[in-house]
Amino acid sequence: MTHTNKLAIHGGEKAKQTPFGTGKRFGLEEARELLEALEQNTLFYHFGNKVKRFIADFNEMYGVPYSVATSSGTAAIHVALGAAGVTVGDEVITSPITDQGTMIGILYQNAIPVFADLDPYTYNLNPASIEARITPRTKAILVVHLAGNACDMDPIMEIARKYNIKVIEDCAQAYLTEYKGRLAGTMGDYGCFSTNDFKHISTGDGGIVTVNSGDEEDYRRTHAFADKNYKRIGESLDRNPSSLAPNYRMSELQGAVGIGQLKRLEWLCGRRAELGSALTEGLKDLPQLTTMQVLPDSRCTYWFYMFRLVEDKLNCTREEFGAALEAEGIKNRLGYIPSVVYMQPMFQNKQAYLNSQFPFDLTGTDYKQGDCPVSEEILRTAIQVPLNEFYTDQDLQEMIEAIRKVTLYYAK
Ligand SMILES: *Cc1c(COP(=O)(O)O)cnc(C)c1O
């Protein structure tokens, strides 16, 4: 073994010698918009022009007829569920590997999350598994385009039409992600985005729901659900709700920052797509790993990168692999979340609300280890590494070198 192949964790030279590239996410553009927002003398979205402009720019970029601004991505998903008519005792089929924000709206509507299994290499919902989970209670499918990678939407939309159920796309991690030339967030009935501080673009917190039907009534319903079910489009105002909806309004300050952020989006997603594909190219010949699979004619915009270890081809545990990679100068996380969502205490105890089993007790739904075996395998064998638009080509080369060095050292 040559000197350079000695792992850093064993006292060898680190593969990554220089710090990763960084950059500023916010600039004069955002500052100018913020100042204008303040000069309006109101920060309420309905009276000002910043949220309206943010949404108009987003609609143009996405080629969608309508969308609604919200206070978070979680809020966007809850609003889409409300607009889709999801209510007490309904079932919503979704992914067991996702952010908690995917679950919250389902349970606040007193509906019941049902988990379908994932594809082992795209980490996205397997259409056959979705269909197997459909019952007369199923009201919606909530797909998650994980890490900016597109779900297989054609068969999913076909299933939804067959059973007459709604499709909501969780695009919190999937800006400008493409599936067969179509943008994620424009294919289902609603597309939900997050602008929290960790996503591709940030307004501190915030979100967007697209209304893809093009139906004005649908838009009015969605808009109202983000604003107490007050009807506040145009000049008229109706504050006499006939059902419950939360206040998830976006403020003018968030809208102002969003206008500036959208201008950076094409570049930023382009760079992430390039870096992620290059990482796959640099690793795909290693039989000890599996890389992220992107569907044909599709584009992943890599909110992060996640590969999997092929355990029987490696002489190390995942913990040892991760520690060795860290020592080479590459930060990483084992898996993505601590466990599949249905193993959380909340699901195991069927207790979303303190001292209550509602709404779980409305159905016989059970959550147990083994429900989604592929998803469990993914989380057990995956290693996640960060990707950022400010990484240089050299950063990427060193990242590939580091992963290759650790893999080849432990290869059987
Ligand atoms: C971030 C995220 C959310 C929630 O967005 P917030 O703005 O944090 O509420 C929902 N789903 C996924 C997949 C996410 O990554």
Side-chain angles (χ1 to χ4, degrees):
M1 190 158 294
T2 67
H3 174 70
T4 53
N5 286 343
K6 189 171 177 187
L7 292 183
I9 205 169
H10 298 152
E13 218 175 293
K14 282 166 79 170
K16 183 90 187 85
Q17 294 278 346
T18 54
F20 278 100
T22 57
K24 282 182 119 175
R25 304 176 77 184
F26 311 105
L28 283 178
E29 190 84 45
E30 286 82 1
R32 196 170 52 80
E33 294 289 343
L34 276 170
L35 189 58
E36 279 183 19
L38 292 168
E39 282 168 351
Q40 295 178 142
N41 215 26
T42 176
L43 294 176
F44 182 39
Y45 81 96
H46 186 60
F47 295 154
N49 282 309
K50 292 306 177 191
V51 171
K52 288 178 190 133
R53 170 76 194 286
F54 173 50
I55 288 300
D57 290 353
F58 185 88
N59 288 351
E60 192 183 334
M61 182 179 254
Y62 269 79
V64 293
Y66 299 113
S67 40
V68 173
T70 61
S71 53
S72 71
T74 302
I77 294 166
H78 190 178
V79 168
L81 290 159
V86 170
T87 185
V88 184
D90 288 340
E91 290 177 349
V92 177
I93 298 175
T94 192
S95 167
I97 300 185
T98 186
D99 183 85
Q100 194 66 9
T102 313
M103 297 305 130
I104 293 168
I106 303 175
L107 285 162
Y108 270 108
Q109 283 307 99
N110 292 303
I112 297 134
V114 170
F115 298 94
D117 212 354
L118 304 179
D119 175 275
Y121 307 114
T122 65
Y123 320 137
N124 284 326
L125 282 166
N126 170 348
S129 178
I130 293 176
E131 188 161 17
R133 259 59 164 191
I134 287 175
T135 75
R137 287 182 177 269
T138 310
K139 191 62 160 278
I141 304 168
L142 174 44
V143 303
V144 181
H145 302 288
L146 197 74
N149 197 18
C151 295
D152 198 0
M153 291 306 288
D154 280 346
I156 292 171
M157 294 310 294
E158 203 171 300
I159 292 165
R161 274 189 291 268
K162 183 169 155 191
Y163 295 93
N164 193 27
I165 49 189
K166 301 280 187 187
V167 174
I168 297 166
E169 299 178 70
D170 181 343
C171 303
Q173 304 179 1
Y175 281 98
L176 298 182
T177 290
E178 288 175 25
Y179 172 76
K180 299 186 181 175
R182 285 168 291 161
L183 285 169
T186 67
M187 294 172 279
D189 296 278
Y190 308 93
C192 305
F193 295 81
S194 163
T195 55
N196 89 20
D197 207 50
F198 307 98
K199 301 305 204 273
H200 289 71
I201 53 172
S202 164
T203 62
D205 270 306
I208 301 158
V209 195
T210 63
V211 183
N212 299 328
S213 63
D215 173 37
E216 196 178 327
E217 203 34 56
D218 191 6
Y219 169 55
R220 287 178 183 281
R221 214 168 40 242
T222 312
H223 191 279
F225 202 88
D227 190 358
K228 310 177 180 175
N229 260 344
Y230 285 176
K231 299 191 179 75
R232 211 192 298 259
I233 291 175
E235 293 303 309
S236 69
L237 170 63
D238 173 353
R239 295 193 292 178
N240 197 20
S242 52
S243 64
L244 186 69
N247 171 4
Y248 284 155
R249 301 186 300 224
M250 177 182 275
S251 87
E252 287 290 277
L253 296 175
Q254 292 157 292
V257 174
I259 294 168
Q261 290 284 285
L262 279 184
K263 296 189 172 136
R264 305 171 190 270
L265 193 56
E266 296 272 7
W267 166 78
L268 181 157
C269 289
R271 182 63 183 153
R272 281 176 178 259
E274 190 174 76
L275 289 167
S277 314
L279 198 46
T280 295
E281 278 306 305
L283 301 174
K284 70 178 187 193
D285 64 304
L286 296 170
Q288 296 82 8
L289 307 179
T290 62
T291 52
M292 263 174 89
Q293 193 192 327
V294 180
L295 296 173
D297 306 317
S298 301
R299 173 167 95 147
C300 179
T301 59
Y302 298 96
W303 187 56
F304 57 76
Y305 193 98
M306 196 158 82
F307 57 91
R308 293 180 59 190
L309 303 184
V310 180
E311 290 173 303
D312 60 2
K313 292 192 162 63
L314 285 163
N315 275 316
C316 64
T317 64
R318 182 170 64 151
E319 285 67 21
E320 287 167 326
F321 192 104
L325 192 55
E326 182 93 30
E328 296 297 334
I330 309 298
K331 288 206 183 316
N332 63 87
R333 250 208 273 180
L334 308 183
Y336 166 56
I337 46 175
S339 74
V340 284
V341 174
Y342 55 80
M343 291 309 288
Q344 291 175 357
M346 176 165 86
F347 288 95
Q348 288 303 300
N349 304 333
K350 293 203 222 173
Q351 193 177 87
Y353 298 93
L354 206 58
N355 303 326
S356 170
Q357 306 266 273
F358 191 81
F360 297 111
D361 55 5
L362 295 175
T363 70
T365 312
D366 242 330
Y367 303 98
K368 48 189 190 314
Q369 191 86 46
D371 280 352
C372 299
V374 177
S375 309
E376 291 174 14
E377 272 301 285
I378 292 170
L379 278 190
R380 210 177 54 72
T381 56
I383 294 197
Q384 187 198 324
V385 290
L387 265 194
N388 190 288
E389 58 274 13
F390 296 116
Y391 285 6
T392 64
D393 291 347
Q394 189 190 333
D395 289 335
L396 185 84
Q397 282 322 309
E398 289 173 345
M399 204 159 152
I400 293 170
E401 269 168 46
I403 298 170
R404 293 188 70 88
K405 181 181 167 187
V406 173
T407 306
L408 293 173
Y409 178 83
Y410 287 117
K412 264 189 191 167

